[in-house]
Amino acid sequence: MMNTQADQFGMKEALAQLGVKDINEGTSTGQHNFSNGTLLESYSPVDGQLIGKVKQSTPEDYERAMQAATAAFKTFKLMPAPQRGELVRQFGEKLRKHKEALGKLVSYEMGKSLQEGYGEVQEMIDICDFAVGLSRQLHGLTMHSERPGHRMYEQYHSLGVVGIISAFNFPVAVWSWNTALAWIAGDVCIWKPSEKTPLCGIACQNIIAEVLKENNMPEGISCLINGDYKIGELMTADTRVPLVSATGSTRMGKLVAQAVAGRLGRSLLELGGNNAIIVTPDADIKMTVIGAVFGAVGTAGQRCTSTRRLIIHESIYDKVRDAIVGAYGQLRIGNPLDQHNHVGPLIDVQAVEAYQRALDQVVAEGGKLIVPGGVLSGEGYESGCYVKPAIAEAQNHFQIVQHETFAPVLYLLKYSGDVTQAIEIQNGVAQGLSSAIMTNNLREAEAFLSVAGSDCGIANVNIGTSGAEIGGAFGGEKETGGGRESGSDAWKVYMRRQTNTINYTTSLPLAQGIKFDL
């Protein structure tokens, strides 16, 4: 039963608007949801209350979903791309209508601040707008043939069924990054949302279901399956799924990559990050504090782009450290639906335990906690998922610093040389997602962005590591997986490329001047 605290923020109305019904009875069903198995309970980390239950998918449910998807693909790929774009445009309009309700659900089920919840839905709207334009620009290349009377060009065709495995920290946006581009490419999608945020999946499917029904389109264009890793394994092993897009931990990504590669399929991986901001002597300290604090504590440190390490030059180390510590003293921790709070809860008690282990380990390895953190209890913190953001002075080689802890733990690292040394420290981890440098020195900025600079997929100057715009391709290198989603030419991942040669003469010359006369 939803408690009074959550209800005062309009959660009942929001859930009803999204079609997540019978919430007080603990049941929830959605269109395009191929699930008839045991119940999966969703508890809010905000207050520990049961929000609702969804049925998990069985192997038989998965097979029905695949059959619906493969059947839908046969007709959907034949629809002109601009018409597919019109469906995506309508989906974006529905999201505008439901932005407040869906943003509240994201905040309540996942635990991020309400503004971040709204922002995540805005990302969905933005990728729809981006995809609509792309639907008229799925272009190939034309090149000159070495053979007279021949024309060569490349074109892109629809790929098939795209499997999507998403994580709890962005329960709706990452799905939309994939689906909006997949749909304009003529692909159909099967989505397995995180078992920690299943109601967000139900809500999104209900919204797209309205669009498909209004346009008399087959439901198999968008299918939802719920459950744990076992239902995901069916997808990664299925040869009918040419592309699996998986977002999550590096451990999970390696398992997905091995399974998909074993059948020579494609995988798009967005995995762990261990992101750093370099702070040079020429940095603007005020900008540094803003970027570092939001990067470290936004979404309670549960973004793949969260700032984990702050690499500070020794000449300004004390000044930057004191400014960051002072800013942490102003943070308000509490119900994320209350927009006066800066930091909400971690996703569950297991995440809290990982946070506590990280703090213990950094001390055991020789680090020093300068903002000690701790688990909050008492009124407003009944879920047991609220923690204080912590700061530790550490060394880059510490095992815990090399590891990504999905919690608000920031490590301060000191360097004494030039920017080259700082870049070496930043690159000295297994992950390679996001990175940043704070400097007003043009040479340092350019060195950071050069081929000898940051080895990450994202490299920023005078902004933090957290956050990305739809127009740019999002993703990272090394153990982050190498995938690219969202903007730029990421649409090509969802299509197959074909090279075409047309001979419009009456003779058949061979390439490279080979003679084969009969």
Side-chain angles (χ1 to χ4, degrees):
M1 181 76 68
M2 187 171 295
N3 66 13
T4 305
Q5 183 186 29
D7 190 43
Q8 70 177 333
F9 294 101
M11 282 307 307
K12 282 185 178 180
E13 292 79 3
L15 291 164
Q17 180 180 332
L18 295 168
V20 183
K21 302 176 181 178
D22 300 321
I23 207 70
N24 291 336
E25 284 70 41
T27 60
S28 174
T29 59
Q31 299 183 60
H32 301 232
N33 178 17
F34 292 86
S35 303
N36 290 291
T38 58
L39 291 175
L40 174 65
E41 297 179 331
S42 177
Y43 289 89
S44 172
V46 174
D47 52 20
Q49 298 297 307
L50 175 67
I51 313 174
K53 304 177 184 179
V54 301
K55 290 183 178 180
Q56 301 188 75
S57 299
T58 65
E60 292 75 20
D61 295 329
Y62 172 80
E63 182 58 31
R64 289 194 304 113
M66 274 303 306
Q67 290 179 8
T70 53
F73 176 64
K74 292 178 181 179
T75 56
F76 192 52
K77 67 180 180 180
L78 300 178
M79 177 183 289
Q83 292 183 23
R84 300 193 295 258
E86 170 59 17
L87 293 176
V88 176
R89 187 196 66 79
Q90 293 178 34
F91 180 49
E93 290 302 307
K94 294 284 187 183
L95 290 171
R96 286 177 170 88
K97 174 183 175 182
H98 296 295
K99 179 178 178 179
E100 182 175 357
L102 185 56
K104 285 183 179 179
L105 176 57
V106 169
S107 178
Y108 189 56
E109 188 172 34
M110 185 268 151
K112 63 176 59 177
S113 72
L114 185 57
Q115 285 301 319
E116 289 182 271
Y118 291 153
E120 185 168 345
V121 181
Q122 186 61 49
E123 284 191 42
M124 302 176 74
I125 296 169
D126 291 344
I127 193 62
C128 286
D129 290 348
F130 183 82
V132 171
L134 278 180
S135 69
R136 295 181 181 271
Q137 300 182 63
L138 302 178
H139 53 77
L141 297 173
T142 299
M143 62 282 291
H144 290 280
S145 172
E146 66 184 46
R147 290 167 284 185
H150 286 60
R151 181 167 67 90
M152 292 181 63
Y153 68 95
E154 292 180 341
Q155 62 177 329
Y156 287 82
H157 292 303
S158 304
L159 187 61
V161 180
V162 174
I164 302 167
I165 301 172
S166 62
F168 73 86
N169 59 332
F170 281 86
V172 297
V174 172
W175 168 73
S176 71
W177 289 2
N178 284 274
T179 52
L181 297 187
W183 285 336
I184 61 107
D187 300 329
V188 299
C189 299
I190 292 186
W191 178 26
K192 192 202 88 64
S194 170
E195 58 267 36
K196 298 180 181 182
T197 52
L199 298 182
C200 285
I202 294 289
C204 289
Q205 288 298 100
N206 287 345
I207 294 172
I208 187 60
E210 292 181 12
V211 176
L212 297 177
K213 184 178 181 180
E214 290 167 3
N215 288 271
N216 196 29
M217 299 299 296
E219 68 171 9
I221 291 172
S222 180
C223 300
L224 180 72
I225 53 174
N226 283 302
D228 58 15
Y229 71 94
K230 294 180 180 178
I231 198 70
E233 287 178 343
L234 296 176
M235 182 190 300
T236 58
D238 196 333
T239 58
R240 294 170 294 180
V241 184
L243 172 66
V244 175
S245 176
T247 303
S249 68
T250 297
R251 182 193 64 80
M252 179 276 291
K254 289 180 177 180
L255 295 173
V256 170
Q258 291 171 9
V260 176
R263 57 179 177 82
L264 298 181
R266 303 185 195 179
S267 57
L268 192 167
L269 302 175
E270 297 290 353
L271 311 176
N274 196 342
N275 315 295
I277 299 176
I278 296 172
V279 187
T280 80
D282 289 315
D284 183 312
I285 303 301
K286 182 178 179 180
M287 290 176 61
T288 298
V289 171
I290 294 171
V293 173
F294 175 73
V297 308
T299 324
Q302 296 173 116
R303 292 185 176 212
C304 51
T305 55
S306 291
T307 304
R308 311 290 180 196
R309 299 172 295 145
L310 208 57
I311 305 168
I312 311 167
H313 193 270
E314 62 178 4
S315 64
I316 57 168
Y317 181 86
D318 291 349
K319 185 176 182 180
V320 174
R321 177 198 59 201
D322 294 346
I324 296 288
V325 171
Y328 268 51
Q330 302 175 47
L331 295 174
R332 293 186 295 271
I333 307 168
N335 189 324
L337 293 169
D338 183 344
Q339 298 188 54
H340 291 94
N341 293 324
H342 299 111
V343 183
L346 294 178
I347 186 64
D348 54 27
V349 293
Q350 288 75 32
V352 173
E353 292 169 357
Y355 158 87
Q356 292 178 305
R357 288 195 299 270
L359 298 185
D360 292 341
Q361 186 172 341
V362 71
V363 172
E365 292 192 62
K368 178 183 178 182
L369 290 172
I370 58 175
V371 176
V375 181
L376 295 170
S377 60
E379 185 177 357
Y381 306 123
E382 291 87 354
S383 69
C385 297
Y386 291 87
V387 302
K388 298 178 182 178
I391 302 176
E393 294 180 317
Q395 298 291 326
N396 201 55
H397 67 268
F398 286 2
Q399 184 179 357
I400 189 59
V401 177
Q402 293 285 315
H403 173 76
E404 179 191 36
T405 301
F406 233 48
V409 180
L410 178 65
Y411 303 112
L412 303 189
L413 314 174
K414 186 186 296 186
Y415 78 101
S416 58
D418 61 15
V419 71
T420 302
Q421 182 190 18
I423 292 171
E424 183 178 351
I425 294 171
Q426 182 224 272
N427 293 346
V429 294
Q431 308 86 355
L433 178 52
S434 187
S435 59
I437 187 170
M438 293 292 184
T439 182
N440 289 321
N441 185 310
L442 177 62
R443 290 175 176 170
E444 290 179 334
E446 290 295 333
F448 178 74
L449 299 176
S450 73
V451 68
S454 170
D455 63 1
C456 296
I458 300 170
N460 300 326
V461 176
N462 290 330
I463 62 172
T465 63
S466 188
E469 294 186 29
I470 289 299
F474 180 87
E477 302 299 324
K478 301 190 295 189
E479 287 195 358
T480 302
R484 292 296 186 275
E485 293 174 320
S486 187
S488 185
D489 64 348
W491 61 269
K492 294 180 179 179
V493 177
Y494 304 91
M495 305 194 79
R496 58 182 179 89
R497 181 161 59 179
Q498 185 180 80
T499 300
N500 306 115
T501 305
I502 300 173
N503 177 5
Y504 56 89
T505 73
T506 58
S507 62
L508 184 58
L510 303 179
Q512 292 86 44
I514 296 173
K515 301 295 183 181
F516 191 71
D517 296 327
L518 294 177

